[in-house]
Amino acid sequence: MTQPNARTPSVPIITIDGPSGTGKGTIASLLAAHLGWACLDSGALYRVLGLAAERAGLDLEDGEALGRLAADLDLAFLDGRVLLAGEDVSAAIRTEAAGNAASQVAAHPQVRAALLDWQRAAARLPGLVADGRDMGTVVFPDAEVKIFLTASPEERGKRRYRQLRDQGVEVNLKQLVGDIAARDERDSQRAVAPLRPALDALVVDTTTLNIDQVLERVLNLVRQIVEERQGTQGADSTP
Ligand code: C5P
């Protein structure tokens, strides 16, 4: 995989972690746009790897082979599109099947190690908003602000159902809720980088909130933390 240079230490970072269907991706990109910062959708890396593995006919249980594939992945993010060996796979990686394959390949330590530098190298000035499962715990443990979004499993299933239906995809709500629960279980129980809030993360329950309300709440938390820090350090970088 073509990797940019190592992380610039002074780049401010906001991490947004949580299970699927909490609106993390939407909130991360809105927040990044609001701040004029870069945005890292780390889930896309695992989704592309899942797709590449299936295309190569690899066994999704074979951590060694998947780790090698991850290290050599010809991946690029360009103008909001995701390219695998030059092919636009932005739509192909958003299916439920791709999400499930992503969750399987993501459980292997060899895969996570191979993708670590790539994710850290996404940090660039003036700042980075990174969304995923382990942004605050493993990839950017020294991030300035760590947010962990939650929502009830039923609400997350309904959101995903509406999203897929709006895209014209026929899905069964009960099966969808079951798939999401299985994915969360695998993400939370895996031995390496399990889905869980960092000790210093601020948890926001989005069950009864719409996207605008979540964004407002997250922005308030970010401002509050930056102001507290300015109070102690005399810094100047209000979002
Ligand atoms: O966030 P998204 O649904 O695109 O992620 C797909 C899958 O990739 C997740 O279910 C999870 O297994 C994996 N993932 C991960 N660590 C991340 C981001 C995603 O393990 N930082």
Side-chain angles (χ1 to χ4, degrees), residues 18-47:
S20 38
T22 48
K24 290 184 274 80
T26 309
I27 292 299
S29 57
L30 288 172
L31 186 62
H34 178 89
L35 299 172
W37 288 11
C39 190
L40 169 68
D41 168 9
S42 63
L45 295 178
Y46 294 97
R47 286 173 177 267

PDB file of all heavy atoms in Angstrom, residues 18-47:
ATOM      1  N   GLY A  18     -17.425   4.130  18.016  1.00  0.00           N
ATOM      2  CA  GLY A  18     -18.730   3.614  18.416  1.00  0.00           C
ATOM      3  C   GLY A  18     -19.157   2.507  17.477  1.00  0.00           C
ATOM      4  O   GLY A  18     -18.525   2.286  16.447  1.00  0.00           O
ATOM      5  N   PRO A  19     -20.253   1.811  17.833  1.00  0.00           N
ATOM      6  CA  PRO A  19     -20.735   0.734  16.973  1.00  0.00           C
ATOM      7  C   PRO A  19     -21.418   1.263  15.716  1.00  0.00           C
ATOM      8  O   PRO A  19     -21.625   2.476  15.584  1.00  0.00           O
ATOM      9  CB  PRO A  19     -21.740  -0.011  17.866  1.00  0.00           C
ATOM     10  CG  PRO A  19     -22.155   0.976  18.893  1.00  0.00           C
ATOM     11  CD  PRO A  19     -21.028   1.941  19.070  1.00  0.00           C
ATOM     12  N   SER A  20     -21.761   0.364  14.795  1.00  0.00           N
ATOM     13  CA  SER A  20     -22.403   0.791  13.550  1.00  0.00           C
ATOM     14  C   SER A  20     -23.808   1.340  13.800  1.00  0.00           C
ATOM     15  O   SER A  20     -24.490   0.907  14.730  1.00  0.00           O
ATOM     16  CB  SER A  20     -22.474  -0.383  12.574  1.00  0.00           C
ATOM     17  OG  SER A  20     -22.745  -1.566  13.264  1.00  0.00           O
ATOM     18  N   GLY A  21     -24.182   2.301  12.985  1.00  0.00           N
ATOM     19  CA  GLY A  21     -25.533   2.857  13.080  1.00  0.00           C
ATOM     20  C   GLY A  21     -25.676   3.959  14.113  1.00  0.00           C
ATOM     21  O   GLY A  21     -26.794   4.364  14.454  1.00  0.00           O
ATOM     22  N   THR A  22     -24.570   4.478  14.630  1.00  0.00           N
ATOM     23  CA  THR A  22     -24.661   5.569  15.601  1.00  0.00           C
ATOM     24  C   THR A  22     -24.496   6.927  14.924  1.00  0.00           C
ATOM     25  O   THR A  22     -24.571   7.963  15.575  1.00  0.00           O
ATOM     26  CB  THR A  22     -23.577   5.434  16.703  1.00  0.00           C
ATOM     27  OG1 THR A  22     -22.330   5.200  16.076  1.00  0.00           O
ATOM     28  CG2 THR A  22     -23.892   4.300  17.646  1.00  0.00           C
ATOM     29  N   GLY A  23     -24.227   6.918  13.609  1.00  0.00           N
ATOM     30  CA  GLY A  23     -24.057   8.174  12.881  1.00  0.00           C
ATOM     31  C   GLY A  23     -22.639   8.699  12.938  1.00  0.00           C
ATOM     32  O   GLY A  23     -22.372   9.845  12.562  1.00  0.00           O
ATOM     33  N   LYS A  24     -21.698   7.860  13.368  1.00  0.00           N
ATOM     34  CA  LYS A  24     -20.286   8.283  13.481  1.00  0.00           C
ATOM     35  C   LYS A  24     -19.733   8.885  12.202  1.00  0.00           C
ATOM     36  O   LYS A  24     -19.096   9.917  12.230  1.00  0.00           O
ATOM     37  CB  LYS A  24     -19.355   7.096  13.696  1.00  0.00           C
ATOM     38  CG  LYS A  24     -19.343   6.404  14.860  1.00  0.00           C
ATOM     39  CD  LYS A  24     -18.286   5.332  14.917  1.00  0.00           C
ATOM     40  CE  LYS A  24     -18.638   4.013  14.341  1.00  0.00           C
ATOM     41  NZ  LYS A  24     -18.656   3.610  13.059  1.00  0.00           N
ATOM     42  N   GLY A  25     -19.956   8.149  11.097  1.00  0.00           N
ATOM     43  CA  GLY A  25     -19.379   8.580   9.813  1.00  0.00           C
ATOM     44  C   GLY A  25     -19.906   9.944   9.408  1.00  0.00           C
ATOM     45  O   GLY A  25     -19.135  10.832   9.013  1.00  0.00           O
ATOM     46  N   THR A  26     -21.224  10.124   9.535  1.00  0.00           N
ATOM     47  CA  THR A  26     -21.845  11.402   9.164  1.00  0.00           C
ATOM     48  C   THR A  26     -21.341  12.514  10.069  1.00  0.00           C
ATOM     49  O   THR A  26     -20.956  13.595   9.598  1.00  0.00           O
ATOM     50  CB  THR A  26     -23.387  11.294   9.291  1.00  0.00           C
ATOM     51  OG1 THR A  26     -23.794  10.134   8.587  1.00  0.00           O
ATOM     52  CG2 THR A  26     -24.093  12.516   8.772  1.00  0.00           C
ATOM     53  N   ILE A  27     -21.314  12.237  11.367  1.00  0.00           N
ATOM     54  CA  ILE A  27     -20.864  13.259  12.320  1.00  0.00           C
ATOM     55  C   ILE A  27     -19.397  13.609  12.076  1.00  0.00           C
ATOM     56  O   ILE A  27     -19.017  14.788  12.066  1.00  0.00           O
ATOM     57  CB  ILE A  27     -21.071  12.769  13.779  1.00  0.00           C
ATOM     58  CG1 ILE A  27     -22.568  12.678  14.095  1.00  0.00           C
ATOM     59  CG2 ILE A  27     -20.361  13.666  14.786  1.00  0.00           C
ATOM     60  CD1 ILE A  27     -23.325  13.989  14.000  1.00  0.00           C
ATOM     61  N   ALA A  28     -18.583  12.582  11.826  1.00  0.00           N
ATOM     62  CA  ALA A  28     -17.151  12.849  11.601  1.00  0.00           C
ATOM     63  C   ALA A  28     -16.966  13.728  10.376  1.00  0.00           C
ATOM     64  O   ALA A  28     -16.194  14.694  10.412  1.00  0.00           O
ATOM     65  CB  ALA A  28     -16.391  11.531  11.435  1.00  0.00           C
ATOM     66  N   SER A  29     -17.690  13.445   9.288  1.00  0.00           N
ATOM     67  CA  SER A  29     -17.444  14.271   8.096  1.00  0.00           C
ATOM     68  C   SER A  29     -18.035  15.663   8.254  1.00  0.00           C
ATOM     69  O   SER A  29     -17.436  16.638   7.784  1.00  0.00           O
ATOM     70  CB  SER A  29     -17.884  13.573   6.805  1.00  0.00           C
ATOM     71  OG  SER A  29     -19.216  13.248   6.879  1.00  0.00           O
ATOM     72  N   LEU A  30     -19.174  15.804   8.953  1.00  0.00           N
ATOM     73  CA  LEU A  30     -19.727  17.155   9.183  1.00  0.00           C
ATOM     74  C   LEU A  30     -18.784  17.970  10.077  1.00  0.00           C
ATOM     75  O   LEU A  30     -18.544  19.159   9.841  1.00  0.00           O
ATOM     76  CB  LEU A  30     -21.111  17.065   9.839  1.00  0.00           C
ATOM     77  CG  LEU A  30     -22.251  16.566   8.939  1.00  0.00           C
ATOM     78  CD1 LEU A  30     -23.521  16.342   9.757  1.00  0.00           C
ATOM     79  CD2 LEU A  30     -22.516  17.559   7.809  1.00  0.00           C
ATOM     80  N   LEU A  31     -18.277  17.310  11.094  1.00  0.00           N
ATOM     81  CA  LEU A  31     -17.379  17.996  12.025  1.00  0.00           C
ATOM     82  C   LEU A  31     -16.102  18.432  11.308  1.00  0.00           C
ATOM     83  O   LEU A  31     -15.623  19.562  11.475  1.00  0.00           O
ATOM     84  CB  LEU A  31     -17.051  17.043  13.179  1.00  0.00           C
ATOM     85  CG  LEU A  31     -16.240  17.588  14.339  1.00  0.00           C
ATOM     86  CD1 LEU A  31     -16.981  18.725  15.025  1.00  0.00           C
ATOM     87  CD2 LEU A  31     -15.957  16.481  15.356  1.00  0.00           C
ATOM     88  N   ALA A  32     -15.549  17.519  10.492  1.00  0.00           N
ATOM     89  CA  ALA A  32     -14.319  17.839   9.744  1.00  0.00           C
ATOM     90  C   ALA A  32     -14.576  19.015   8.805  1.00  0.00           C
ATOM     91  O   ALA A  32     -13.751  19.932   8.709  1.00  0.00           O
ATOM     92  CB  ALA A  32     -13.846  16.613   8.966  1.00  0.00           C
ATOM     93  N   ALA A  33     -15.739  19.011   8.130  1.00  0.00           N
ATOM     94  CA  ALA A  33     -16.054  20.109   7.202  1.00  0.00           C
ATOM     95  C   ALA A  33     -16.189  21.421   7.985  1.00  0.00           C
ATOM     96  O   ALA A  33     -15.684  22.467   7.574  1.00  0.00           O
ATOM     97  CB  ALA A  33     -17.335  19.795   6.450  1.00  0.00           C
ATOM     98  N   HIS A  34     -16.843  21.352   9.146  1.00  0.00           N
ATOM     99  CA  HIS A  34     -17.033  22.543   9.977  1.00  0.00           C
ATOM    100  C   HIS A  34     -15.692  23.128  10.414  1.00  0.00           C
ATOM    101  O   HIS A  34     -15.504  24.344  10.426  1.00  0.00           O
ATOM    102  CB  HIS A  34     -17.880  22.173  11.199  1.00  0.00           C
ATOM    103  CG  HIS A  34     -18.097  23.303  12.149  1.00  0.00           C
ATOM    104  ND1 HIS A  34     -19.161  24.176  12.034  1.00  0.00           N
ATOM    105  CD2 HIS A  34     -17.369  23.731  13.209  1.00  0.00           C
ATOM    106  CE1 HIS A  34     -19.069  25.080  12.991  1.00  0.00           C
ATOM    107  NE2 HIS A  34     -18.003  24.832  13.724  1.00  0.00           N
ATOM    108  N   LEU A  35     -14.771  22.258  10.771  1.00  0.00           N
ATOM    109  CA  LEU A  35     -13.469  22.716  11.269  1.00  0.00           C
ATOM    110  C   LEU A  35     -12.471  22.985  10.147  1.00  0.00           C
ATOM    111  O   LEU A  35     -11.428  23.595  10.376  1.00  0.00           O
ATOM    112  CB  LEU A  35     -12.864  21.669  12.217  1.00  0.00           C
ATOM    113  CG  LEU A  35     -13.673  21.333  13.486  1.00  0.00           C
ATOM    114  CD1 LEU A  35     -13.054  20.150  14.207  1.00  0.00           C
ATOM    115  CD2 LEU A  35     -13.712  22.545  14.417  1.00  0.00           C
ATOM    116  N   GLY A  36     -12.773  22.486   8.947  1.00  0.00           N
ATOM    117  CA  GLY A  36     -11.813  22.595   7.837  1.00  0.00           C
ATOM    118  C   GLY A  36     -10.657  21.610   8.026  1.00  0.00           C
ATOM    119  O   GLY A  36      -9.530  21.868   7.594  1.00  0.00           O
ATOM    120  N   TRP A  37     -10.943  20.468   8.701  1.00  0.00           N
ATOM    121  CA  TRP A  37      -9.922  19.473   8.983  1.00  0.00           C
ATOM    122  C   TRP A  37     -10.082  18.283   8.036  1.00  0.00           C
ATOM    123  O   TRP A  37     -11.121  18.130   7.393  1.00  0.00           O
ATOM    124  CB  TRP A  37     -10.056  18.947  10.421  1.00  0.00           C
ATOM    125  CG  TRP A  37      -9.654  19.926  11.486  1.00  0.00           C
ATOM    126  CD1 TRP A  37      -9.390  21.255  11.319  1.00  0.00           C
ATOM    127  CD2 TRP A  37      -9.505  19.656  12.888  1.00  0.00           C
ATOM    128  NE1 TRP A  37      -9.073  21.825  12.525  1.00  0.00           N
ATOM    129  CE2 TRP A  37      -9.139  20.868  13.508  1.00  0.00           C
ATOM    130  CE3 TRP A  37      -9.648  18.520  13.688  1.00  0.00           C
ATOM    131  CZ2 TRP A  37      -8.902  20.967  14.873  1.00  0.00           C
ATOM    132  CZ3 TRP A  37      -9.420  18.614  15.037  1.00  0.00           C
ATOM    133  CH2 TRP A  37      -9.040  19.829  15.637  1.00  0.00           C
ATOM    134  N   ALA A  38      -9.057  17.424   8.000  1.00  0.00           N
ATOM    135  CA  ALA A  38      -9.146  16.182   7.229  1.00  0.00           C
ATOM    136  C   ALA A  38     -10.018  15.182   7.996  1.00  0.00           C
ATOM    137  O   ALA A  38     -10.247  15.339   9.198  1.00  0.00           O
ATOM    138  CB  ALA A  38      -7.748  15.603   7.028  1.00  0.00           C
ATOM    139  N   CYS A  39     -10.500  14.182   7.285  1.00  0.00           N
ATOM    140  CA  CYS A  39     -11.364  13.177   7.918  1.00  0.00           C
ATOM    141  C   CYS A  39     -10.868  11.782   7.538  1.00  0.00           C
ATOM    142  O   CYS A  39     -10.595  11.523   6.367  1.00  0.00           O
ATOM    143  CB  CYS A  39     -12.795  13.386   7.429  1.00  0.00           C
ATOM    144  SG  CYS A  39     -14.003  12.420   8.334  1.00  0.00           S
ATOM    145  N   LEU A  40     -10.732  10.912   8.521  1.00  0.00           N
ATOM    146  CA  LEU A  40     -10.321   9.529   8.237  1.00  0.00           C
ATOM    147  C   LEU A  40     -11.486   8.589   8.535  1.00  0.00           C
ATOM    148  O   LEU A  40     -11.941   8.503   9.680  1.00  0.00           O
ATOM    149  CB  LEU A  40      -9.115   9.137   9.111  1.00  0.00           C
ATOM    150  CG  LEU A  40      -8.752   7.643   9.099  1.00  0.00           C
ATOM    151  CD1 LEU A  40      -8.218   7.215   7.728  1.00  0.00           C
ATOM    152  CD2 LEU A  40      -7.728   7.321  10.188  1.00  0.00           C
ATOM    153  N   ASP A  41     -11.966   7.893   7.500  1.00  0.00           N
ATOM    154  CA  ASP A  41     -13.006   6.877   7.667  1.00  0.00           C
ATOM    155  C   ASP A  41     -12.273   5.530   7.734  1.00  0.00           C
ATOM    156  O   ASP A  41     -12.051   4.875   6.719  1.00  0.00           O
ATOM    157  CB  ASP A  41     -13.951   6.948   6.451  1.00  0.00           C
ATOM    158  CG  ASP A  41     -14.899   5.771   6.360  1.00  0.00           C
ATOM    159  OD1 ASP A  41     -14.965   4.972   7.310  1.00  0.00           O
ATOM    160  OD2 ASP A  41     -15.583   5.650   5.318  1.00  0.00           O
ATOM    161  N   SER A  42     -11.882   5.137   8.954  1.00  0.00           N
ATOM    162  CA  SER A  42     -11.032   3.939   9.064  1.00  0.00           C
ATOM    163  C   SER A  42     -11.791   2.677   8.673  1.00  0.00           C
ATOM    164  O   SER A  42     -11.198   1.708   8.209  1.00  0.00           O
ATOM    165  CB  SER A  42     -10.463   3.814  10.480  1.00  0.00           C
ATOM    166  OG  SER A  42     -11.501   3.647  11.409  1.00  0.00           O
ATOM    167  N   GLY A  43     -13.122   2.681   8.851  1.00  0.00           N
ATOM    168  CA  GLY A  43     -13.908   1.500   8.478  1.00  0.00           C
ATOM    169  C   GLY A  43     -13.754   1.178   6.998  1.00  0.00           C
ATOM    170  O   GLY A  43     -13.790   0.005   6.595  1.00  0.00           O
ATOM    171  N   ALA A  44     -13.558   2.227   6.171  1.00  0.00           N
ATOM    172  CA  ALA A  44     -13.414   2.012   4.725  1.00  0.00           C
ATOM    173  C   ALA A  44     -12.201   1.136   4.427  1.00  0.00           C
ATOM    174  O   ALA A  44     -12.217   0.329   3.499  1.00  0.00           O
ATOM    175  CB  ALA A  44     -13.307   3.344   3.994  1.00  0.00           C
ATOM    176  N   LEU A  45     -11.144   1.266   5.237  1.00  0.00           N
ATOM    177  CA  LEU A  45      -9.939   0.448   5.021  1.00  0.00           C
ATOM    178  C   LEU A  45     -10.270  -1.034   5.191  1.00  0.00           C
ATOM    179  O   LEU A  45      -9.869  -1.876   4.381  1.00  0.00           O
ATOM    180  CB  LEU A  45      -8.845   0.817   6.031  1.00  0.00           C
ATOM    181  CG  LEU A  45      -8.240   2.200   5.981  1.00  0.00           C
ATOM    182  CD1 LEU A  45      -7.217   2.348   7.095  1.00  0.00           C
ATOM    183  CD2 LEU A  45      -7.575   2.429   4.648  1.00  0.00           C
ATOM    184  N   TYR A  46     -10.999  -1.332   6.286  1.00  0.00           N
ATOM    185  CA  TYR A  46     -11.347  -2.735   6.551  1.00  0.00           C
ATOM    186  C   TYR A  46     -12.351  -3.252   5.525  1.00  0.00           C
ATOM    187  O   TYR A  46     -12.325  -4.420   5.139  1.00  0.00           O
ATOM    188  CB  TYR A  46     -11.887  -2.870   7.985  1.00  0.00           C
ATOM    189  CG  TYR A  46     -10.816  -2.577   9.011  1.00  0.00           C
ATOM    190  CD1 TYR A  46     -10.711  -1.313   9.598  1.00  0.00           C
ATOM    191  CD2 TYR A  46      -9.872  -3.535   9.352  1.00  0.00           C
ATOM    192  CE1 TYR A  46      -9.713  -1.014  10.498  1.00  0.00           C
ATOM    193  CE2 TYR A  46      -8.864  -3.262  10.260  1.00  0.00           C
ATOM    194  CZ  TYR A  46      -8.786  -2.003  10.834  1.00  0.00           C
ATOM    195  OH  TYR A  46      -7.781  -1.718  11.726  1.00  0.00           O
ATOM    196  N   ARG A  47     -13.236  -2.361   5.076  1.00  0.00           N
ATOM    197  CA  ARG A  47     -14.207  -2.765   4.054  1.00  0.00           C
ATOM    198  C   ARG A  47     -13.504  -3.089   2.735  1.00  0.00           C
ATOM    199  O   ARG A  47     -13.807  -4.086   2.082  1.00  0.00           O
ATOM    200  CB  ARG A  47     -15.239  -1.649   3.844  1.00  0.00           C
ATOM    201  CG  ARG A  47     -16.246  -1.560   4.990  1.00  0.00           C
ATOM    202  CD  ARG A  47     -17.157  -0.350   4.862  1.00  0.00           C
ATOM    203  NE  ARG A  47     -18.135  -0.331   5.932  1.00  0.00           N
ATOM    204  CZ  ARG A  47     -19.358  -0.851   5.853  1.00  0.00           C
ATOM    205  NH1 ARG A  47     -19.770  -1.402   4.727  1.00  0.00           N
ATOM    206  NH2 ARG A  47     -20.171  -0.810   6.885  1.00  0.00           N
TER     207      ARG A  47
END
